[in-house]
C-alpha cells in the first residue's frame, strides 16, 4: 500500500455504512452540533463587533472625543484652539457651547441637548455632515436662530424644514411681569439621522445664537477635540491641558459613554465563553460516537492486531475517524458562520420589513439596526478551538481501542 494504513482504514470506517444505524446517527448529530456551534459563535461575535464599531463610528463620531473647558467661559477660545491643534495626536478642534433644554413643537415637548457650533469648524470634528438627510450645517446662519434636529425628534414633534419650534432653557429671567422662563423661537433648518439615540435628543444651533440664548457674552464654553486614537483620548486631553496657561477642566468620552463601551466588551467576552461551551459539548459528543464505534469494531480491531498492527496504529485509525468528523463540522460551521456574519444585517432588515416590526428601536437601544463586523482573528480562534477540542475528544476512545486484547475479543467469534 502506498497510502498510510491508519489513514486509509480511518477514512474507510468514516465513509462506510455501519450495521448499527444508531452509531451513524450519533456521528451525524455530533458533526451537525459542532457545525452549528462554530457558526453561531462566529455570527454572534461578529454582531458584538458590529455594535462595538457602531459605538466608535456613530456615537463617538458625534460626541466629543475630549473637551477642554475653563472655570466659566473661554476668554480667548481662538488661541486655545490654535494651541490644541499643535498637539501631534489632535486631528482637529472646534469651539462649542452646550446646554440642556426643552423643545416644544407640534403640541409635544422633548428634552434635548443644545449644541452651539461654528459650522465651518464643526464638520472637521464630527460626522454630522455625512448623515444629513435634509439641509446642512451651512444653513445655520448667525442671527437667524436656526436649529438642526434628529430624525426621531422630527417624527415625534411632527416637524419639517421651515417649521418653528420653541427652545426653553431651565433658567428663569426676572422681568417687570415677574419671573419667566428663558425661551426663544427657532426655525428648523436641517434633519440628520445617525441611526442612534442621538437622533432623539441632539440638536445643533449656531454658536453666536447659543451665546445670546445662554448669555456667554460671545465666548465659547469649551473646545472639543478629535484625536487619532480613541483609547488615548484621556491622556491627550491631560497633555493638552497642561500645555495651556490658566486653569482648565478636561473630560473625555470614557466618562460620558465609557460604561456603554465596557458593557459591550464584557457582553462579548461572556457570550463568547458561553457559546464556546456549546462547541465543547458538540466536540465531546465525538467521544460517545467513537466509544460505540470501538465497541462495534472490536472484532475488526482484534483481527488487525493479530495481523501485526501495533497499538499505536490502532489508536491512529480512530483518531483519524474522529478528526474527520471534527474537521468537517468545524470547516462547514466556519463557512456558514462567515456567510451568516456578512448577511445577518440584511436578513434582519428584510425580516423587520416582512413582519412590520422593528426589533431594535432607537428609543430603547443606542442604534436602530443590527450591525455585523467579521473579524478574522475571531474566525481563526473559534476554528482553532473547535479543531483542538474535536481532536482532544478522540484521544480516549482511540486509546481504549488500542488496549483491545485480540484473544479475548475473538474468543466467542
Amino acid at each position: 500500500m502506498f497510502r498510510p494504513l491508519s489513514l486509509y482504514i480511518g477514512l474507510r470506517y468514516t465513509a462506510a455504512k455501519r450495521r448499527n444505524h444508531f452509531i451513524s446517527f450519533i456521528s451525524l448529530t455530533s458533526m451537525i452540533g459542532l457545525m452549528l456551534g462554530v457558526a453561531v459563535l462566529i455570527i454572534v461575535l461578529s454582531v458584538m463587533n458590529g455594535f462595538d464599531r457602531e459605538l466608535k463610528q456613530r456615537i463617538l463620531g458625534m460626541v466629543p472625543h475630549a473637551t477642554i473647558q475653563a472655570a466659566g467661559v473661554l476668554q480667548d477660545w481662538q488661541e486655545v484652539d490654535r494651541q490644541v491643534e499643535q498637539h501631534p495626536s489632535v486631528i482637529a478642534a472646534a469651539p462649542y457651547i452646550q446646554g440642556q433644554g426643552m423643545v416644544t413643537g407640534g403640541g409635544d415637548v422633548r428634552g434635548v441637548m443644545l449644541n452651539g457650533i461654528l459650522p465651518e469648524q464643526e464638520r472637521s470634528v464630527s460626522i454630522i455632515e455625512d448623515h444629513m438627510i435634509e439641509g446642512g450645517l451651512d444653513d445655520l446662519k448667525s442671527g437667524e436662530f436656526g436649529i438642526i434636529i434628529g430624525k426621531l425628534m422630527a417624527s415625534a414633534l411632527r416637524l419639517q424644514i421651515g417649521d418653528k419650534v420653541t427652545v426653553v432653557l431651565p433658567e428663569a429671567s426676572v422681568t417687570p411681569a415677574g419671573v419667566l422662563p428663558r425661551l426663544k423661537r427657532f426655525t428648523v433648518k436641517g434633519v440628520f439621522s445617525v441611526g442612534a439615540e442621538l437622533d432623539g435628543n441632539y440638536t445643533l444651533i449656531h454658536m453666536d445664537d447659543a451665546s445670546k440664548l445662554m448669555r456667554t457674552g460671545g465666548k465659547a464654553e469649551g473646545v472639543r477635540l478629535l484625536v487619532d486614537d480613541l483609547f488615548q483620548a484621556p491622556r491627550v486631553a491631560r497633555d493638552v491641558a497642561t500645555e495651556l496657561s490658566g486653569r482648565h477642566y478636561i473630560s473625555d468620552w470614557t466618562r460620558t459613554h465609557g460604561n456603554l463601551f465596557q458593557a459591550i466588551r464584557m457582553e462579548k467576552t461572556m457570550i463568547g465563553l458561553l457559546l464556546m461551551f456549546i462547541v465543547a459539548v458538540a466536540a465531546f459528543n465525538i467521544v460517545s460516537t467513537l466509544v460505540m464505534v470501538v465497541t462495534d469494531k472490536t472484532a475488526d480491531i482484534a483481527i488487525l492486531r493479530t495481523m501485526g498492527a501495533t497499538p499505536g496504529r490502532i489508536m491512529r485509525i480512530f483518531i483519524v475517524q474522529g478528526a474527520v468528523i471534527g474537521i468537517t463540522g468545524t470547516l462547514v460551521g466556519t463557512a456558514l458562520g462567515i456567510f451568516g456574519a456578512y448577511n445577518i444585517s440584511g436578513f434582519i432588515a428584510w425580516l423587520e420589513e416582512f413582519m412590520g416590526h422593528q426589533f431594535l428601536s432607537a428609543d430603547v437601544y443606542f442604534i436602530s439596526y443590527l450591525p455585523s463586523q467579521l473579524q478574522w482573528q475571531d474566525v481563526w480562534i473559534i476554528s482553532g478551538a473547535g479543531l483542538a477540542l474535536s481532536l482532544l475528544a478522540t484521544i480516549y476512545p482511540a486509546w481504549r481501542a488500542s488496549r483491545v486484547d485480540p484473544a479475548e475479543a475473538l474468543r466467542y467469534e
Side-chain angles (χ1 to χ4, degrees), residues 65-85:
H65 290 179
T67 59
I68 297 178
Q69 296 176 285
V73 293
L74 290 178
Q75 297 299 326
D76 188 5
W77 67 262
Q78 293 90 344
E79 178 63 21
V80 173
D81 189 290
R82 185 189 64 80
Q83 294 184 38
V84 164
E85 289 186 337

Side-chain angles (χ1 to χ4, degrees), residues 213-225:
L213 184 64
M214 302 179 190
R215 300 176 181 176
T216 62
K219 310 296 184 181
E221 180 183 342
V223 173
R224 61 178 290 180
L225 312 180

Side-chain angles (χ1 to χ4, degrees), residues 293-304 318 404-406 408-410 413:
V293 171
V294 169
T295 303
D296 189 54
K297 298 293 184 180
T298 300
D300 294 354
I301 296 171
I303 293 173
L304 288 173
F318 290 93
V404 170
D405 184 4
E408 187 68 25
L410 296 174
E413 291 292 329

Side-chain angles (χ1 to χ4, degrees), residues 171-192:
E171 297 181 11
S173 298
V174 179
T175 68
V179 178
L180 300 175
R182 192 184 307 171
L183 51 85
K184 181 66 181 178
R185 294 282 284 178
F186 279 78
T187 303
V188 177
K189 295 289 187 178
V191 179
F192 68 86

Side-chain angles (χ1 to χ4, degrees), residues 249-293:
Y249 300 95
I250 61 174
S251 181
D252 58 81
W253 68 270
T254 60
R255 301 182 183 181
T256 57
H257 291 80
N259 56 342
L260 183 59
F261 182 81
Q262 294 297 332
I264 292 176
R265 283 294 180 88
M266 183 182 68
E267 288 172 3
K268 178 184 176 182
T269 302
M270 296 306 299
I271 290 176
L273 182 61
L274 293 175
L275 291 179
M276 187 58 73
F277 283 125
I278 297 177
V279 177
V281 170
F284 281 103
N285 278 341
I286 299 174
V287 175
S288 59
T289 301
L290 291 184
V291 167
M292 287 188 287
V293 171

